[in-house]
């Protein structure tokens, strides 16, 4: 399969038209134009300004992934006899794509202990079973996990339920993606969110993109990069992999770009995997050696600078160059661009956070930005490129193991409840407790917890030891068939554009949108709020601390959010006028950092150990252009020219060095597991590194985590390759 010359463009348009043919042009158009927030990435789109409209009010703002998610929700219901015909073993033989396209879930399903088939049950039976199992499990043997698909309202009820039950074992999917960003930013500048608003990108003259591939995962960001280049700005891409869309991209909504393509990277740097931190320390060292830092800003608005400077000064150039894989001349060139720019934005994604030193890498990004005061003011700053559409909102409304003090005080004062103070469980801690046999009930609000986990064998063992696993889902995924407990229950829910009342979502720019909802396409599924409120009424019957009947109303929840969630006070105006708003205190202005001292903090950070044996490669697990998170919509990866997913993409030098040939079958092995009969493919990737597709390659990723953020190292697994003996006849 041959890769195109540019990302985006006519192929993306053709694909969208194919989806429209499949589900109906007029139906898809009407669905996309409703006033509902986009269901995919956290760049944000839709809401009260209209479907396919961004935060600045620009139209058309849409991408292929938006159409994919909408089309998946518009497919027919699962056939009535589907589960009778397919037992659990047959379901396990299906790919992620086949499960996704089996249809919308419309009735509660139960896989009883010892049974091989999911069987439909009534809503009343489902609620009674959930409440009985929750009460039996108790607070110390239950955990709550939410994906970024859910609304703020559902997330608020979800964490409120866990706290009333007496546990902080509640978390969201960020622990497997951007938690290192939140921890790193919080420890440096006092807020775990990005410091920008969308309009700040209109003034950017240098964007440094590190460890991210938005051309595949956040396509609508490509227009911002195009515009930076058009007005004479620069985009520096730092990525071990040469990604097609980051070199040239055809923005479908821009005629000139669509016809002729847009050059994205003005400088493309391919470091060693995990070498970003060394590169950032090297860039900081270059700035300091030139005496080009902003000492006045540093003296007035930062702390711990001397320790940072000493650490950087004592780190040798030889170590920096060896570990980063970037030569001194290139480091000088990047520093030249940084020092000549007026407004610098640094953006990153999981190429930074998916390492066992991920938090330190984020702190290194902040250190570099602080040297010239490029964070703490408008038009410049830090931009973690968030994944799912409302993962940031879930964190804001408390779906986290540890509540912030300001929020905790409001909860206890207004609601009169004592929030548990015992340590909470992050996502991996929940899995480890399950593996030890200490969890009886897992409550999963959307997502695919099993498919998101590293070390597939370990995850399978952990979830199989849970007595009851509950999923709230719209369609089937691999978690429903592999991530099963002794008994497993699936409750069908409505996507946000079918909600009976408005819901809210928060973008990566801390902009809170309101989604109107709409008419349900099927009889049977219920809103997440409806389900949680019904469970709450039964679970806390006789407990008058919270009126769960009242909380069936979305507006009642929104009033509580406005009162209890710091930064969400403007939700009250939204209730009256449907006016959307930015969360206060996120876009840091005039260097007023929300830390205890009011100052940003430098961190002195030694280089991590990234040594590998001569016969080892460092494996990066990636998503394809044809998938969103763990959902695989298409088997082929157009941008990388791959027609299949059972491949390992390698530098030609490594193929030759290891005595291999393109399209040869190998067994890929790590300390966690192995994958047989994988095809070797040549690709433009830094030598010493390799690429394989997530979530399939999770079997190779150990379940060890960054000690600060508890995020697994999906981008830094040491692997070896062994030639397979293929018998031909």
């Amino acid at each position: 399969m041959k890769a195109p010359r540019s990302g985006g463009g006519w192929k993306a348009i053709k694909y969208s038209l194919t989806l429209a043919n499949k589900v109906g042009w007029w139906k898809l158009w009407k669905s996309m134009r409703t006033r509902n927030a986009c269901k995919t990435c956290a760049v944000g789109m839709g809401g009260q300004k209209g479907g396919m409209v961004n935060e600045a009010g620009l139209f058309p703002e849409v991408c292929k992934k938006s159409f994919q998610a909408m089309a998946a929700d518009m497919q027919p219901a699962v056939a009535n006899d589907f589960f009778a015909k397919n037992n659990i073993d047959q379901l396990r033989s299906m790919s992620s794509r086949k499960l996704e396209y089996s249809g919308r879930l419309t009735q509660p399903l139960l896989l009883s202990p010892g049974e091989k088939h999911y069987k439909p049950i009534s809503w009343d039976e489902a609620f009674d079973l959930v409440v009985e199992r929750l009460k039996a499990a108790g607070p110390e043997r239950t955990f709550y996990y939410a994906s970024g698909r859910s609304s703020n309202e559902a997330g608020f009820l979800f964490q409120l339920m866990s706290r009333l039950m007496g546990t902080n074992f509640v978390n969201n999917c960020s622990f497997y993606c951007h938690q290192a960003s939140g921890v790193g930013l919080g420890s440096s500048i006092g807020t775990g969110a990005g410091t920008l608003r969308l309009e700040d990108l209109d003034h950017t003259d240098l964007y440094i993109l590190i460890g991210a591939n938005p051309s595949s995962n956040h396509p609508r960001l490509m227009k911002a990069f195009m515009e930076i280049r058009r007005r004479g700005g620069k985009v520096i891409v730092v990525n071990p992999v040469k990604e097609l869309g980051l070199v040239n991209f055809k923005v479908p909504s821009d005629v000139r770009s669509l016809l002729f393509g847009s050059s994205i990277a003005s400088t493309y740097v391919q470091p060693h995997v995990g070498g970003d931190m060394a590169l950032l320390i090297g860039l900081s060292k270059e700035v300091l050696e030139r005496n080009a830092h902003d000492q006045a800003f540093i003296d007035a608005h930062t702390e711990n600078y001397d320790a940072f400077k000493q650490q950087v000064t004592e780190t040798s150039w030889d170590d920096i160059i060896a570990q980063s894989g970037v030569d001194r001349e290139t480091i000088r060139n990047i520093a030249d661009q940084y020092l000549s720019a007026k407004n610098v934005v640094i953006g990153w994604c999981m190429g930074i956070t998916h390492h066992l030193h991920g938090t330190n890498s984020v702190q290194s990004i902040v250190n570099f930005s602080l040297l010239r005061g490029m964070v703490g003011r408008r038009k410049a700053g830090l931009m973690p490129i968030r994944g799912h559409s409302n993962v940031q909102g879930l964190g804001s409304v408390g779906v986290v193991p540890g509540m912030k003090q300001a929020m905790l005080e409001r909860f206890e004062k207004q609601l009169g409840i004592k929030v548990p103070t015992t340590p909470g469980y992050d996502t991996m801690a929940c899995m480890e407790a399950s593996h030890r046999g200490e969890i009886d009930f897992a409550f999963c609000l959307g997502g695919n917890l099993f498919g998101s986990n590293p070390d597939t064998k370990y995850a399978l063992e952990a979830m199989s030891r849970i007595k009851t696993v509950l999923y709230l889902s719209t369609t089937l995924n691999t978690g429903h068939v592999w991530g099963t407990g002794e008994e497993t229950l699936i409750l069908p829910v409505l996507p946000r554009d079918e909600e009976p009342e408005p819901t809210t979502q928060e973008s990566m720019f801390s902009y809170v949108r309101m989604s109107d909802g709409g008419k349900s396409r099927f009889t049977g599924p219920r809103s997440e709020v409806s389900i949680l409120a019904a469970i709450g009424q039964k679970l806390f019957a006789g407990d008058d601390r919270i009126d769960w009947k009242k909380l069936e109303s979305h507006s009642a929840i929104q009033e509580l959010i406005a009162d209890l969630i710091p930064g969400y006070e403007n939700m009250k105006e939204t209730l009256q006028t449907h006016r959307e708003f930015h969360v206060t205190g996120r876009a840091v202005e005039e260097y007023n950092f929300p830390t205890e001292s009011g100052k940003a903090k430098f961190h002195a950070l030694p280089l991590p150990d990234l040594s590998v044996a001569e016969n080892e490669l460092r494996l990066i697990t990636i998503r394809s252009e044809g998938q969103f998170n763990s959902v695989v919509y298409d088997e082929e990866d157009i941008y990388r020219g791959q027609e299949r997913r059972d491949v390992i993409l390698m530098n030609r030098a490594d193929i030759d060095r290891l005595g291999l040939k393109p399209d040869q079958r190998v067994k890929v092995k790590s300390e966690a597991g192995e994958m047989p009969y994988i095809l070797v493919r040549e690709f433009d990737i830094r030598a010493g590194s390799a690429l394989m597709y997530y979530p399939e390659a999770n079997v190779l990723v150990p379940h060890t985590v960054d000690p600060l953020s508890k995020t697994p190292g999906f981008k830094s697994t040491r692997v070896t390759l062994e030639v397979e003996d293929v018998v031909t006849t």
Side-chain angles (χ1 to χ4, degrees), residues 527-576:
S527 76
E528 292 172 327
V529 165
S530 166
I531 293 169
L532 292 167
I535 293 172
Q537 289 175 55
K538 288 177 174 285
L539 186 62
F540 301 107
D543 183 339
D544 61 1
R545 291 177 294 175
I546 300 293
D547 186 347
W548 285 89
K549 179 66 177 176
K550 180 181 178 181
L551 294 182
E552 291 177 352
S553 163
H554 291 195
S555 60
I557 302 169
Q558 289 157 3
E559 288 179 4
L560 273 181
I561 290 174
D563 287 338
L564 299 175
I565 306 301
Y568 267 70
E569 292 82 2
N570 288 328
M571 183 78 86
K572 287 192 175 180
E573 182 181 352
T574 301
L575 275 169
Q576 301 300 319

Side-chain angles (χ1 to χ4, degrees), residues 9-57:
W10 295 107
K11 281 186 175 290
I13 293 174
K14 181 181 178 181
Y15 183 91
S16 300
L17 295 179
T18 301
L19 285 178
N21 277 331
K22 184 177 180 180
V23 300
W25 285 57
W26 181 239
K27 287 182 179 179
L28 183 60
W29 173 257
K30 285 199 303 180
S31 296
M32 293 301 301
R33 292 295 285 138
T34 57
R35 294 189 298 182
N36 291 289
C38 176
K39 300 172 183 178
T40 53
C41 84
V43 175
M45 179 193 79
Q48 294 305 293
K49 293 179 181 178
M52 298 193 286
V53 178
N54 72 2
E55 293 170 20

Side-chain angles (χ1 to χ4, degrees), residues 501-522:
E501 299 178 54
T503 60
T504 59
Q505 295 79 31
E506 181 186 327
S507 79
M508 60 181 282
F509 297 106
S510 299
Y511 187 70
V512 179
R513 282 186 173 80
M514 175 168 275
S515 296
D516 282 353
K519 184 179 179 181
S520 175
R521 297 181 176 95
F522 303 97

Side-chain angles (χ1 to χ4, degrees), residues 401-415:
M403 258 190 192
K404 293 181 179 178
Q405 186 63 32
M407 192 186 305
L408 188 149
E409 290 172 357
R410 292 189 187 189
F411 266 71
E412 295 186 347
K413 181 178 179 181
Q414 179 157 331
L415 299 182

Side-chain angles (χ1 to χ4, degrees), residues 223-250:
K223 187 173 183 180
F225 300 145
M226 174 197 77
E227 290 171 342
I228 290 171
R229 293 298 311 277
R230 278 189 182 174
R231 61 175 179 262
K234 297 177 180 179
V235 176
I236 298 174
V237 175
V238 180
N239 195 321
V241 187
K242 184 64 71 70
E243 297 287 11
L244 169 74
L246 300 182
V247 176
N248 197 284
F249 196 88
K250 294 185 176 182

